[in-house]
Amino acid sequence: ATGAISLAGTTFQFDQAGTALSLSQTAGSSTFDGLLSTSGAAGINLAGATFTFNAGVTTTGAGAFTVVNTGLLTIANTAFNLDGLFDKTGAGGTSLGAGITTSGDAVSFGGGTTTLATGVAINTGAGPGDVTFTSALTGGQTLSITAGTGAVAFNAQVGAAPLTSLTVVSSGSVASLSTIDTSGLVSFNS
């Protein structure tokens, strides 16, 4: 599709790669087994229960990725490359199994617990893109964050299941409002 796609319903399954100007969903659940790409400033806006991404997401044209999930958000296998921000809210948790890169825009995880399913890198570039975890972060994996001049904030417990390592490669500042538990290296460069 080349235009905007708007979905509302119960369950959607996308088996192939898809390209659109934008994608919005206002209810239900979706599974994306092919690369999802958008080219417009409206980007990807999802609200509903569970969302599963098995092949990555790419946005251009300043397109953001926003999701409000009541069930599990699964990001597996292939990285997200965004030309806009990443904003996850809602009571549902996140299984994070691939990296997220933005073009200087913020990355934020709120709502349910974020569980690292594999080693993950989050990169907002050299500019002011903040990285914020407003809910718990856990999982016996490595996490590397590059936030340029942006702030990195952990506003809830990190490591209920200790992370293997936590590295902040670059940031303007690092703040933690709770405990951070790892079984290995903790390194903050700001």
Side-chain angles (χ1 to χ4, degrees):
T2 57
I5 298 173
S6 180
L7 306 170
T10 54
T11 302
F12 298 95
Q13 173 78 38
F14 299 88
D15 294 328
Q16 302 294 319
T19 301
L21 184 62
S22 64
L23 173 70
S24 65
Q25 183 170 344
T26 57
S29 298
S30 288
T31 299
F32 300 89
D33 289 331
L35 176 67
L36 176 60
S37 301
T38 62
S39 58
I44 299 167
N45 296 285
L46 307 172
T50 61
F51 298 96
T52 301
F53 294 87
N54 291 318
V57 170
T58 298
T59 66
T60 58
F65 178 94
T66 62
V67 60
V68 180
N69 57 306
T70 58
L72 186 64
L73 167 64
T74 302
I75 298 172
N77 306 320
T78 307
F80 278 32
N81 293 296
L82 308 176
D83 192 25
L85 65 81
F86 174 97
D87 186 31
K88 182 271 179 220
T89 58
T94 302
S95 175
L96 187 57
I100 298 172
T101 299
T102 71
S103 58
D105 301 288
V107 173
S108 178
F109 289 89
T113 298
T114 298
T115 302
L116 300 177
T118 189
V120 171
I122 297 173
N123 187 338
T124 64
D130 297 340
V131 177
T132 306
F133 290 88
T134 58
S135 55
L137 171 64
T138 192
Q141 303 291 333
T142 61
L143 176 61
S144 173
I145 299 173
T146 302
T149 60
V152 175
F154 302 101
N155 297 336
Q157 181 183 15
V158 176
L163 276 59
T164 305
S165 69
L166 173 60
T167 303
V168 176
V169 177
S170 65
S171 68
S173 65
V174 177
S176 176
L177 300 178
S178 188
T179 60
I180 295 177
D181 293 320
T182 71
S183 61
L185 176 70
V186 174
S187 174
F188 297 144
N189 299 302
S190 62

